[in-house]
Amino acid sequence: MKKFLLLVVVILALFTIDHPAIKEPREALLGEGVSLLSEQSKVARSTSAKIARTQISQKLELDETELEYLNDALGTDDKLKAFHLRYCKENDLNLYFYGNKLNVICKIVGESIFEGKSL
């Protein structure tokens, strides 16, 4: 019991002391932990976007710039819905995709939004 109490006191001291030798590594470690958790939660929530990106890369041959644009534009479910609204529903001009490629992408994006809602 004494060892446990000593461990708790040491842990509390490490979290409350503002000495530069302790504060900087603690903040770096906590920052890495928070960024890791936020990345993990993004992956878990963006199911529709993940479905769309994999289907698009399977059905279309894309060069590196197009693929990079799609990974950014369809990174999350919110971005996926915004892309669908802007380029598929409102027919706004897309600098990377047009014509048949855009039609295929819009079809896949629409289906993946529907699939994501049913999951």
Side-chain angles (χ1 to χ4, degrees):
M1 185 70 176
K2 290 180 184 179
K3 290 180 182 179
F4 179 72
L5 183 61
L6 182 64
L7 178 67
V8 169
V9 169
V10 169
I11 290 174
L12 287 174
L14 289 176
F15 278 105
T16 57
I17 295 176
D18 285 337
H19 191 273
I22 295 173
K23 185 178 180 180
E24 292 171 4
R26 177 185 64 213
E27 288 179 357
L29 182 65
L30 289 175
E32 289 176 15
V34 168
S35 66
L36 178 69
L37 289 175
S38 68
E39 288 176 15
Q40 293 297 326
S41 66
K42 259 189 222 175
V43 171
R45 286 185 290 178
S46 300
T47 55
S48 298
K50 185 176 179 182
I51 291 169
R53 286 193 311 269
T54 55
Q55 287 183 359
I56 290 170
S57 63
Q58 289 174 354
K59 291 186 179 182
L60 294 174
E61 281 189 39
L62 304 173
D63 62 18
E64 192 172 322
T65 57
E66 292 173 336
L67 191 60
E68 185 177 315
Y69 169 74
L70 268 182
N71 286 335
D72 183 47
L74 307 179
T76 63
D77 286 350
D78 293 335
K79 287 183 176 182
L80 178 83
K81 291 175 186 175
F83 180 90
H84 187 259
L85 178 67
R86 183 174 180 188
Y87 298 115
C88 302
K89 298 282 186 184
E90 296 177 352
N91 295 323
D92 198 2
L93 180 65
N94 189 311
L95 299 177
Y96 290 90
F97 301 107
Y98 50 88
N100 191 36
K101 271 190 177 180
L102 183 61
N103 290 336
V104 171
I105 290 171
C106 286
K107 181 181 176 194
I108 292 171
V109 166
E111 291 171 355
S112 65
I113 290 172
F114 181 73
E115 284 181 38
K117 288 181 181 177
S118 65
L119 291 178

